Amino acid sequence: MSAPGTLLVAESGEGYVSAASHLISRELWAAAARRPGERIHVAISGGNTPLPILSDLRTRAIPWDRIDWFWVDERFVPHADPRSNAGNARRALFEHVQNAHVFPCPEPSATLDLETAAKVYEEAILGALGEAPVFDLVLLGIGDDGHTASLFPGEPELSETSRVVVPVPARNGREPRLTLTAPVLQSARTTWVLAQGEKKRGPIGRARATPAGPWSETPAHLLSHARGDVLWLVDAAARPA
Ligand code: 6PG
């Protein structure tokens, strides 16, 4: 992939949701056609941007029986909690379709702490994708501070290179989280960054800066080192200068 990837500008609001949903549906069929008979592995992010898009996917043709759905990251809370990425995705999409194969991160319990949950989820991913997992499609967001997944500026998880999933302890007012690591995000066959709104313009511009360099200050810049294709689907307000 040539850094920093392809920028695609869609309409705002409903137009953006419809464009993203349509393109994701097409990408999933394309991935299924590229690897006939094999499982298609998708990792989706949390936050607000994906939710209307996931809801719109209820109405789209999707090769449901071929896809295993994972999460890029998760807040380590019960799935019933409104902060839960898996819970929100289930409420937006997966509980409305018959045969979705979803692999949510484990929930906290008296016997499952954050570190153990990270190990459990890593084992689930390795079991499904094999060693050195390569996702067919990863859907990312970007924060106003340039974070992506739950990899935040200047935090230690950014430099993790041997693990697939790491715990992100509660910091800076955030709940504890689990996240895929940079090498996993960089190895995906196709990565899409979904972003809308003026506040994303600056971080997207920084994330797409060339030449590709360190990404400690703007974690989404790690995508400039991605091995696969990267597409930034933005609305006009998020379009970098
Ligand atoms: C999370 C996400 C996170 C998100 C960005 C953008 O769990 O919060 O995975 O990385 O993608 O914060 O969030 P919005 O789409 O709400 O702007």
Side-chain angles (χ1 to χ4, degrees), residues 44-51 71-75 83-85 139-145 147-152 174-175 177-179 194-196 200:
I44 55 180
S45 284
N48 299 313
T49 304
L51 295 180
W71 271 263
V72 165
D73 62 341
E74 180 59 287
R75 295 83 179 279
R83 293 170 293 172
S84 168
N85 293 340
L139 300 179
L140 292 176
I142 183 170
D144 300 351
D145 60 358
H147 81 261
T148 194
S150 284
L151 299 172
F152 292 90
R174 297 190 313 259
E175 62 285 301
R177 293 170 174 224
L178 302 171
T179 188
L194 304 174
Q196 286 183 273
K200 304 299 174 80

Side-chain angles (χ1 to χ4, degrees), residues 9-180:
V9 184
E11 294 170 28
S12 299
E14 274 307 308
Y16 179 87
V17 169
S18 179
S21 169
H22 169 70
L23 287 166
I24 289 168
S25 166
R26 284 187 55 189
E27 181 62 37
L28 293 171
W29 282 105
R34 278 194 294 268
R35 301 198 305 117
E38 297 188 55
R39 304 299 298 163
I40 302 304
H41 301 112
V42 180
I44 55 180
S45 284
N48 299 313
T49 304
L51 295 180
I53 299 168
L54 293 175
S55 293
D56 193 82
L57 286 177
R58 299 182 207 175
T59 64
R60 302 275 178 186
I62 302 286
W64 290 111
D65 60 332
R66 290 283 306 280
I67 303 170
D68 293 335
W69 301 81
F70 292 84
W71 271 263
V72 165
D73 62 341
E74 180 59 287
R75 295 83 179 279
F76 194 52
V77 296
H79 291 165
D81 187 305
R83 293 170 293 172
S84 168
N85 293 340
N88 286 333
R90 180 172 284 131
R91 289 181 282 272
L93 173 58
F94 297 117
E95 66 189 19
H96 304 277
V97 296
Q98 294 305 315
N99 53 344
H101 305 272
V102 296
F103 297 76
C105 295
E107 298 174 274
S109 73
T111 57
L112 196 73
D113 64 10
L114 184 65
E115 175 60 43
T116 309
K119 290 189 171 78
V120 165
Y121 204 50
E122 179 167 283
E123 285 307 313
I125 291 173
L126 295 176
L129 282 77
E131 296 299 319
V134 176
F135 282 92
D136 292 279
L137 176 62
V138 170
L139 300 179
L140 292 176
I142 183 170
D144 300 351
D145 60 358
H147 81 261
T148 194
S150 284
L151 299 172
F152 292 90
E155 298 190 12
E157 296 77 22
L158 270 170
S159 52
E160 172 61 50
T161 56
S162 57
R163 294 177 68 175
V164 168
V165 179
V166 290
V168 183
R171 293 191 197 103
N172 304 327
R174 297 190 313 259
E175 62 285 301
R177 293 170 174 224
L178 302 171
T179 188
L180 295 183

Side-chain angles (χ1 to χ4, degrees), residues 189-201:
R189 291 186 177 89
T190 301
T191 301
W192 287 12
V193 183
L194 304 174
Q196 286 183 273
E198 171 72 28
K199 289 184 178 176
K200 304 299 174 80
R201 174 173 298 194

